[in-house]
Amino acid sequence: MAHQPANSGKSSKPTRNKKPKKNQSFVTHRDKALGLNKSALPHSIIEVVSTLNKAGFEAYIVGGGVRDSLLGLAPKDFDAVTSARPHEIKAIFGGRCRIIGRRFQLAHVYSGREMIEVATFRAPPKDDTHTTEEGMITRDNVWGDINQDFSRRDFSINALYYQPIKGEVLDFCGAIDDVQNRTLRLLGDAKTRIEEDPVRLLRALRFKAKLGFDFDRALGAQFHEDNWALLEQVSAHRLYDESQKMFSGGYLTPLLPILFEHGAMNHLMAYAPNEPTPLMLATAINTDKRVSMGKGANPAFFYAVLLWENYLYQLAKFKKKGVPFHEAQSKAAAKVVDVQRLRTAIPKFAEEFITSIWLMQPKLANPRVRDIVNLERHPKFRAAFDFLVLREAHDRHELSESTNNMGVWWTRYQDADAGTRAQMVESFASGGSATGLPSRRRNRGGNTSDELLQLQQLSSRDEEPSSKTPKPLFVVDNADEFLPNKPEQTANRPIPRRRDVVVPVFEQVNYGEAEFLKLLNNDEPYIPATRYRKRRPSSTLSIKEREQGMTAEGTPSQTTPKKRSPKPKSKPKTAKAQPSHADNPKPRRRKKSNAKPRAGE
């Protein structure tokens, strides 16, 4: 493969070569001419590529690592591509290689503490068995060469092959020009490439936000509802993995408005709003700051923010049905998570993380005094506290409960020493009027109800009667009849109004002498309708008939009693007569043990 030497004094103009086998033209660039420095690459990727070369296989660095290095960005990781098949990669690296994936088989090679993802050159699908009716590729394990692999790449800026050992960068499609012009372009027909993999729509939006590139005309025309509907064919687990990259990449602030503008959020979350809320935007800024400081970000936290309004709506529905508050919280959280799971398959631990944040919000906003210490020790306290602080400054939803300025109080509590914490808790228990702290009384129903106000008035022990006597809560008719008749009590008492009770009138029935005689002569025994156990009746006759000696056939019974059949005589025993048990009871015979005798016996 011809290229211009790196130490040449001539210009670094790329040379165009043609491969004789596939007649595929490509351009070879020197890495130093493009500003790439092999010494800046991590040792792990150099070791993997050189090991594959020594084994006789082609190997290149490809994808985002080359692209970000050309743009002067710090690559998050480096991926490799090779002509070796997955089982050959496993044979080369042995125990530090693991094969993963079904639809897109890859090899994870561990070099020291780092992991390098190694893929095999792909080829286009050979028949329709690897695609759906809509054209989406379901199995992508058709192996090929580097020319076929290039045609399978999605974006031109990801189709640069860097060989660090030789110091070469292979460009098959003018990707260097797209990088310099800051243009996002799909390789091949844009419509067909989106049908092959609809997730490329999300990747395009992510690259636009991260790199600041613009779409070319063909790619920009693909963001419509018909293409977004293709995401329903994509696995919910894969969509969650893609959302993790978007939410924790460090560029969520510019990405979030783009997702809403191009209609992506309607397919990533259930009941998405038309635009990002102030709470979402503030969380995006805070997340990007954490990533830039190297603290990392949990995508589940941003899911708690995205689904917060959905949770509030479900909570209001259960409260309206009269469900107790704590039970309504659990049911609302489970309902929201179940619906979201159909879009993006959130892992179980992430679901528990999101639910804990929601359930702890009322506890942090209206804590009980005895629970303050335990709340601060809760494993999810830090995440719930961050959520509370963000809500206190940016959450203006009509269904959201007030935080009572507890975000400031919890901030001071965490920064204080043990003595100051005790004083803060004591002041909080007294109501917080002296220090401006919120009251510890929980008030989820708005203003104090009339019933509580009446109870407070009725419980007052003023000696002088009040001019405004509260009305009793419970009024019982005719209650004065049960009081003692004292003149001082009944002098000015109004006469209670009596209720007219409707007494039912029954028709009078007169029984004659014949009816009474009939009832008296009815001496049949009472037989319950339901028997608890079935048994055969001793006789079908009445008591009188049996006293008269009648039988079931209607004839008098015989006075002679039935003779019992004699018991069969036992056979005579030939053995010796045994003594009676009363005189000498026979001892029980013990069963012989099956245990083996001991060695000493």
Short mmCIF file of all heavy atoms in Angstrom, two decimals, residues 17-65:
data_model
loop_
_atom_site.label_atom_id
_atom_site.label_comp_id
_atom_site.label_asym_id
_atom_site.label_seq_id
_atom_site.Cartn_x
_atom_site.Cartn_y
_atom_site.Cartn_z
N ASN A 17 -5.23 5.49 -3.86
CA ASN A 17 -4.85 4.13 -4.24
C ASN A 17 -6.08 3.34 -4.62
O ASN A 17 -7.20 3.67 -4.21
CB ASN A 17 -4.12 3.42 -3.10
CG ASN A 17 -2.84 4.14 -2.71
OD1 ASN A 17 -2.11 4.58 -3.58
ND2 ASN A 17 -2.59 4.29 -1.42
N LYS A 18 -5.88 2.31 -5.37
CA LYS A 18 -6.96 1.41 -5.75
C LYS A 18 -6.56 -0.01 -5.40
O LYS A 18 -5.47 -0.45 -5.74
CB LYS A 18 -7.27 1.51 -7.24
CG LYS A 18 -7.92 2.84 -7.63
CD LYS A 18 -8.37 2.82 -9.07
CE LYS A 18 -9.06 4.12 -9.42
NZ LYS A 18 -9.55 4.13 -10.81
N LYS A 19 -7.48 -0.68 -4.72
CA LYS A 19 -7.21 -2.05 -4.36
C LYS A 19 -7.64 -2.94 -5.52
O LYS A 19 -8.77 -2.86 -6.00
CB LYS A 19 -8.01 -2.43 -3.10
CG LYS A 19 -7.41 -3.61 -2.39
CD LYS A 19 -7.83 -3.60 -0.93
CE LYS A 19 -7.11 -4.71 -0.19
NZ LYS A 19 -7.36 -4.68 1.23
N PRO A 20 -6.79 -3.79 -6.03
CA PRO A 20 -7.11 -4.53 -7.24
C PRO A 20 -8.24 -5.53 -7.08
O PRO A 20 -8.98 -5.78 -8.01
CB PRO A 20 -5.79 -5.23 -7.58
CG PRO A 20 -5.05 -5.30 -6.29
CD PRO A 20 -5.44 -4.10 -5.53
N LYS A 21 -8.44 -6.08 -5.88
CA LYS A 21 -9.43 -7.14 -5.73
C LYS A 21 -10.84 -6.58 -5.86
O LYS A 21 -11.66 -7.07 -6.63
CB LYS A 21 -9.25 -7.84 -4.39
CG LYS A 21 -7.98 -8.68 -4.32
CD LYS A 21 -7.92 -9.42 -2.99
CE LYS A 21 -6.67 -10.27 -2.91
NZ LYS A 21 -6.58 -11.01 -1.64
N LYS A 22 -11.17 -5.56 -5.08
CA LYS A 22 -12.52 -5.04 -5.05
C LYS A 22 -12.67 -3.78 -5.89
O LYS A 22 -13.78 -3.26 -6.02
CB LYS A 22 -12.93 -4.73 -3.60
CG LYS A 22 -12.94 -5.95 -2.71
CD LYS A 22 -14.02 -6.92 -3.13
CE LYS A 22 -14.02 -8.13 -2.20
NZ LYS A 22 -15.07 -9.09 -2.56
N ASN A 23 -11.60 -3.26 -6.41
CA ASN A 23 -11.63 -2.04 -7.20
C ASN A 23 -12.26 -0.89 -6.40
O ASN A 23 -13.03 -0.10 -6.93
CB ASN A 23 -12.40 -2.26 -8.52
CG ASN A 23 -12.11 -1.15 -9.52
OD1 ASN A 23 -11.09 -0.47 -9.42
ND2 ASN A 23 -13.00 -0.98 -10.48
N GLN A 24 -11.95 -0.86 -5.09
CA GLN A 24 -12.49 0.16 -4.19
C GLN A 24 -11.39 1.19 -3.92
O GLN A 24 -10.33 0.87 -3.41
CB GLN A 24 -12.94 -0.48 -2.87
CG GLN A 24 -13.39 0.51 -1.83
CD GLN A 24 -14.67 1.18 -2.23
OE1 GLN A 24 -15.63 0.53 -2.57
NE2 GLN A 24 -14.67 2.49 -2.24
N SER A 25 -11.65 2.42 -4.30
CA SER A 25 -10.66 3.49 -4.11
C SER A 25 -10.69 3.97 -2.68
O SER A 25 -11.73 4.01 -2.04
CB SER A 25 -10.95 4.64 -5.06
OG SER A 25 -12.23 5.18 -4.80
N PHE A 26 -9.56 4.36 -2.17
CA PHE A 26 -9.45 4.92 -0.84
C PHE A 26 -8.25 5.86 -0.84
O PHE A 26 -7.41 5.86 -1.74
CB PHE A 26 -9.29 3.83 0.22
CG PHE A 26 -8.09 2.96 0.03
CD1 PHE A 26 -6.89 3.27 0.65
CD2 PHE A 26 -8.15 1.83 -0.77
CE1 PHE A 26 -5.77 2.46 0.48
CE2 PHE A 26 -7.05 1.02 -0.94
CZ PHE A 26 -5.86 1.33 -0.31
N VAL A 27 -8.19 6.67 0.18
CA VAL A 27 -7.13 7.65 0.33
C VAL A 27 -6.36 7.33 1.60
O VAL A 27 -6.95 7.07 2.65
CB VAL A 27 -7.69 9.08 0.39
CG1 VAL A 27 -6.57 10.10 0.57
CG2 VAL A 27 -8.50 9.39 -0.85
N THR A 28 -5.04 7.34 1.48
CA THR A 28 -4.17 7.08 2.63
C THR A 28 -3.59 8.40 3.12
O THR A 28 -2.98 9.15 2.35
CB THR A 28 -3.04 6.13 2.25
OG1 THR A 28 -3.60 4.91 1.74
CG2 THR A 28 -2.16 5.83 3.45
N HIS A 29 -3.78 8.69 4.41
CA HIS A 29 -3.24 9.90 5.03
C HIS A 29 -2.21 9.49 6.07
O HIS A 29 -2.38 8.47 6.76
CB HIS A 29 -4.36 10.70 5.72
CG HIS A 29 -5.43 11.20 4.79
ND1 HIS A 29 -5.37 12.43 4.20
CD2 HIS A 29 -6.58 10.62 4.37
CE1 HIS A 29 -6.45 12.61 3.45
NE2 HIS A 29 -7.19 11.52 3.55
N ARG A 30 -1.17 10.28 6.20
CA ARG A 30 -0.21 10.08 7.28
C ARG A 30 -0.79 10.62 8.57
O ARG A 30 -1.44 11.67 8.59
CB ARG A 30 1.10 10.79 6.96
CG ARG A 30 1.82 10.25 5.72
CD ARG A 30 2.21 8.79 5.88
NE ARG A 30 3.11 8.61 7.03
CZ ARG A 30 3.51 7.44 7.47
NH1 ARG A 30 3.06 6.33 6.92
NH2 ARG A 30 4.35 7.36 8.46
N ASP A 31 -0.61 9.88 9.65
CA ASP A 31 -1.21 10.29 10.92
C ASP A 31 -0.65 11.62 11.41
O ASP A 31 -1.39 12.45 11.95
CB ASP A 31 -1.02 9.19 11.96
CG ASP A 31 0.44 8.80 12.11
OD1 ASP A 31 1.30 9.32 11.38
OD2 ASP A 31 0.73 7.94 12.99
N LYS A 32 0.64 11.86 11.22
CA LYS A 32 1.22 13.13 11.69
C LYS A 32 0.70 14.30 10.89
O LYS A 32 0.57 15.41 11.41
CB LYS A 32 2.74 13.06 11.63
CG LYS A 32 3.35 12.06 12.61
CD LYS A 32 4.86 12.11 12.59
CE LYS A 32 5.47 11.15 13.59
NZ LYS A 32 6.96 11.19 13.57
N ALA A 33 0.39 14.07 9.60
CA ALA A 33 -0.15 15.15 8.79
C ALA A 33 -1.54 15.57 9.26
O ALA A 33 -1.95 16.72 9.11
CB ALA A 33 -0.21 14.73 7.32
N LEU A 34 -2.27 14.65 9.89
CA LEU A 34 -3.61 14.95 10.40
C LEU A 34 -3.59 15.37 11.86
O LEU A 34 -4.65 15.63 12.45
CB LEU A 34 -4.51 13.71 10.25
CG LEU A 34 -4.74 13.23 8.81
CD1 LEU A 34 -5.56 11.94 8.83
CD2 LEU A 34 -5.45 14.30 7.99
N GLY A 35 -2.40 15.44 12.44
CA GLY A 35 -2.30 15.85 13.85
C GLY A 35 -2.44 14.72 14.82
O GLY A 35 -2.63 14.96 16.03
N LEU A 36 -2.37 13.48 14.36
CA LEU A 36 -2.48 12.32 15.24
C LEU A 36 -1.09 11.92 15.72
O LEU A 36 -0.14 11.89 14.95
CB LEU A 36 -3.13 11.15 14.51
CG LEU A 36 -4.56 11.36 14.01
CD1 LEU A 36 -5.05 10.14 13.25
CD2 LEU A 36 -5.49 11.67 15.17
N ASN A 37 -0.98 11.60 16.99
CA ASN A 37 0.29 11.22 17.59
C ASN A 37 0.13 9.83 18.19
O ASN A 37 -0.67 9.61 19.10
CB ASN A 37 0.70 12.23 18.67
CG ASN A 37 2.09 11.97 19.21
OD1 ASN A 37 2.82 11.10 18.72
ND2 ASN A 37 2.47 12.74 20.22
N LYS A 38 0.89 8.88 17.68
CA LYS A 38 0.78 7.51 18.15
C LYS A 38 1.18 7.38 19.61
O LYS A 38 0.63 6.54 20.35
CB LYS A 38 1.66 6.60 17.28
CG LYS A 38 1.60 5.14 17.67
CD LYS A 38 2.37 4.27 16.69
CE LYS A 38 3.85 4.60 16.71
NZ LYS A 38 4.62 3.68 15.84
N SER A 39 2.08 8.19 20.05
CA SER A 39 2.52 8.11 21.46
C SER A 39 1.44 8.54 22.43
O SER A 39 1.50 8.21 23.61
CB SER A 39 3.78 8.97 21.66
OG SER A 39 3.50 10.33 21.35
N ALA A 40 0.42 9.30 21.93
CA ALA A 40 -0.67 9.73 22.80
C ALA A 40 -1.72 8.65 22.99
O ALA A 40 -2.61 8.79 23.85
CB ALA A 40 -1.32 10.99 22.24
N LEU A 41 -1.66 7.57 22.22
CA LEU A 41 -2.64 6.49 22.34
C LEU A 41 -2.36 5.67 23.58
O LEU A 41 -1.19 5.50 23.99
CB LEU A 41 -2.58 5.60 21.10
CG LEU A 41 -2.98 6.23 19.77
CD1 LEU A 41 -2.75 5.26 18.63
CD2 LEU A 41 -4.43 6.69 19.79
N PRO A 42 -3.38 5.13 24.23
CA PRO A 42 -3.14 4.27 25.40
C PRO A 42 -2.43 2.98 25.00
O PRO A 42 -2.57 2.49 23.87
CB PRO A 42 -4.55 4.01 25.95
CG PRO A 42 -5.47 4.27 24.81
CD PRO A 42 -4.83 5.33 23.96
N HIS A 43 -1.70 2.43 25.93
CA HIS A 43 -0.94 1.22 25.66
C HIS A 43 -1.85 0.04 25.31
O HIS A 43 -1.47 -0.85 24.54
CB HIS A 43 -0.07 0.87 26.87
CG HIS A 43 0.61 -0.45 26.76
ND1 HIS A 43 1.71 -0.67 25.94
CD2 HIS A 43 0.34 -1.66 27.35
CE1 HIS A 43 2.09 -1.93 26.03
NE2 HIS A 43 1.29 -2.56 26.89
N SER A 44 -3.07 0.02 25.85
CA SER A 44 -3.96 -1.12 25.66
C SER A 44 -4.34 -1.29 24.20
O SER A 44 -4.29 -2.41 23.66
CB SER A 44 -5.22 -0.95 26.52
OG SER A 44 -5.86 0.29 26.22
N ILE A 45 -4.70 -0.22 23.49
CA ILE A 45 -5.12 -0.34 22.11
C ILE A 45 -3.93 -0.69 21.22
O ILE A 45 -4.05 -1.46 20.26
CB ILE A 45 -5.84 0.95 21.64
CG1 ILE A 45 -6.42 0.75 20.24
CG2 ILE A 45 -4.90 2.13 21.66
CD1 ILE A 45 -7.50 -0.28 20.17
N ILE A 46 -2.76 -0.16 21.52
CA ILE A 46 -1.55 -0.51 20.75
C ILE A 46 -1.23 -1.99 20.92
O ILE A 46 -0.87 -2.69 19.96
CB ILE A 46 -0.36 0.37 21.19
CG1 ILE A 46 -0.66 1.85 20.91
CG2 ILE A 46 0.91 -0.05 20.47
CD1 ILE A 46 -0.79 2.20 19.45
N GLU A 47 -1.37 -2.49 22.14
CA GLU A 47 -1.05 -3.90 22.41
C GLU A 47 -2.01 -4.82 21.67
O GLU A 47 -1.61 -5.86 21.12
CB GLU A 47 -1.11 -4.14 23.92
CG GLU A 47 -0.63 -5.53 24.34
CD GLU A 47 -1.79 -6.49 24.53
OE1 GLU A 47 -2.91 -6.01 24.75
OE2 GLU A 47 -1.56 -7.71 24.45
N VAL A 48 -3.31 -4.49 21.64
CA VAL A 48 -4.29 -5.34 20.97
C VAL A 48 -4.05 -5.35 19.46
O VAL A 48 -4.05 -6.41 18.82
CB VAL A 48 -5.72 -4.87 21.31
CG1 VAL A 48 -6.75 -5.59 20.44
CG2 VAL A 48 -6.03 -5.11 22.78
N VAL A 49 -3.83 -4.18 18.87
CA VAL A 49 -3.62 -4.11 17.42
C VAL A 49 -2.34 -4.83 17.02
O VAL A 49 -2.31 -5.59 16.04
CB VAL A 49 -3.60 -2.64 16.97
CG1 VAL A 49 -3.17 -2.52 15.51
CG2 VAL A 49 -4.98 -2.01 17.15
N SER A 50 -1.26 -4.61 17.76
CA SER A 50 0.01 -5.26 17.41
C SER A 50 -0.06 -6.78 17.58
O SER A 50 0.52 -7.53 16.79
CB SER A 50 1.14 -4.69 18.27
OG SER A 50 0.88 -4.93 19.65
N THR A 51 -0.81 -7.26 18.59
CA THR A 51 -0.94 -8.71 18.78
C THR A 51 -1.70 -9.34 17.62
O THR A 51 -1.34 -10.43 17.14
CB THR A 51 -1.67 -8.99 20.12
OG1 THR A 51 -0.94 -8.39 21.19
CG2 THR A 51 -1.78 -10.49 20.35
N LEU A 52 -2.73 -8.68 17.14
CA LEU A 52 -3.47 -9.20 15.99
C LEU A 52 -2.62 -9.17 14.73
O LEU A 52 -2.69 -10.09 13.90
CB LEU A 52 -4.75 -8.38 15.79
CG LEU A 52 -5.85 -8.58 16.85
CD1 LEU A 52 -6.95 -7.53 16.69
CD2 LEU A 52 -6.44 -9.98 16.77
N ASN A 53 -1.79 -8.12 14.57
CA ASN A 53 -0.90 -8.06 13.40
C ASN A 53 0.14 -9.18 13.44
O ASN A 53 0.43 -9.80 12.40
CB ASN A 53 -0.21 -6.70 13.34
CG ASN A 53 -1.15 -5.58 12.97
OD1 ASN A 53 -0.93 -4.41 13.29
ND2 ASN A 53 -2.24 -5.90 12.28
N LYS A 54 0.69 -9.45 14.61
CA LYS A 54 1.69 -10.52 14.73
C LYS A 54 1.08 -11.89 14.43
O LYS A 54 1.77 -12.80 13.97
CB LYS A 54 2.29 -10.51 16.13
CG LYS A 54 3.17 -9.30 16.41
CD LYS A 54 3.68 -9.33 17.84
CE LYS A 54 4.53 -8.09 18.14
NZ LYS A 54 5.01 -8.07 19.56
N ALA A 55 -0.24 -12.03 14.70
CA ALA A 55 -0.91 -13.30 14.41
C ALA A 55 -1.28 -13.43 12.94
O ALA A 55 -1.85 -14.46 12.54
CB ALA A 55 -2.15 -13.44 15.27
N GLY A 56 -0.99 -12.39 12.13
CA GLY A 56 -1.24 -12.46 10.70
C GLY A 56 -2.56 -11.89 10.24
O GLY A 56 -3.00 -12.17 9.12
N PHE A 57 -3.23 -11.07 11.08
CA PHE A 57 -4.52 -10.50 10.72
C PHE A 57 -4.41 -8.98 10.59
O PHE A 57 -3.54 -8.34 11.21
CB PHE A 57 -5.57 -10.82 11.80
CG PHE A 57 -5.85 -12.28 11.95
CD1 PHE A 57 -5.26 -13.02 12.97
CD2 PHE A 57 -6.70 -12.94 11.07
CE1 PHE A 57 -5.52 -14.37 13.11
CE2 PHE A 57 -6.96 -14.29 11.22
CZ PHE A 57 -6.37 -15.01 12.23
N GLU A 58 -5.28 -8.39 9.77
CA GLU A 58 -5.38 -6.95 9.68
C GLU A 58 -6.06 -6.42 10.94
O GLU A 58 -6.99 -7.06 11.46
CB GLU A 58 -6.18 -6.52 8.45
CG GLU A 58 -5.57 -6.87 7.12
CD GLU A 58 -6.45 -6.37 5.98
OE1 GLU A 58 -6.45 -5.16 5.71
OE2 GLU A 58 -7.14 -7.22 5.38
N ALA A 59 -5.66 -5.25 11.40
CA ALA A 59 -6.28 -4.65 12.59
C ALA A 59 -6.13 -3.14 12.49
O ALA A 59 -5.06 -2.63 12.12
CB ALA A 59 -5.64 -5.18 13.87
N TYR A 60 -7.22 -2.42 12.85
CA TYR A 60 -7.23 -0.95 12.77
C TYR A 60 -7.98 -0.40 13.98
O TYR A 60 -8.84 -1.07 14.57
CB TYR A 60 -7.92 -0.46 11.49
CG TYR A 60 -7.28 -0.92 10.21
CD1 TYR A 60 -7.65 -2.13 9.62
CD2 TYR A 60 -6.31 -0.15 9.58
CE1 TYR A 60 -7.08 -2.56 8.44
CE2 TYR A 60 -5.72 -0.57 8.38
CZ TYR A 60 -6.11 -1.78 7.82
OH TYR A 60 -5.53 -2.20 6.65
N ILE A 61 -7.68 0.84 14.31
CA ILE A 61 -8.50 1.60 15.25
C ILE A 61 -9.57 2.31 14.43
O ILE A 61 -9.28 2.92 13.40
CB ILE A 61 -7.67 2.63 16.04
CG1 ILE A 61 -6.51 1.95 16.76
CG2 ILE A 61 -8.53 3.36 17.05
CD1 ILE A 61 -5.57 2.93 17.44
N VAL A 62 -10.82 2.22 14.86
CA VAL A 62 -11.91 2.74 14.06
C VAL A 62 -12.95 3.37 14.97
O VAL A 62 -13.01 3.09 16.18
CB VAL A 62 -12.55 1.60 13.23
CG1 VAL A 62 -13.33 0.66 14.12
CG2 VAL A 62 -13.41 2.12 12.10
N GLY A 63 -13.77 4.25 14.39
CA GLY A 63 -14.91 4.80 15.13
C GLY A 63 -14.61 6.11 15.82
O GLY A 63 -13.84 6.96 15.34
N GLY A 64 -15.25 6.28 16.98
CA GLY A 64 -15.19 7.56 17.69
C GLY A 64 -13.82 7.93 18.20
O GLY A 64 -13.52 9.12 18.34
N GLY A 65 -12.96 6.95 18.47
CA GLY A 65 -11.62 7.27 18.94
C GLY A 65 -10.83 8.04 17.92
O GLY A 65 -10.13 9.02 18.25
#
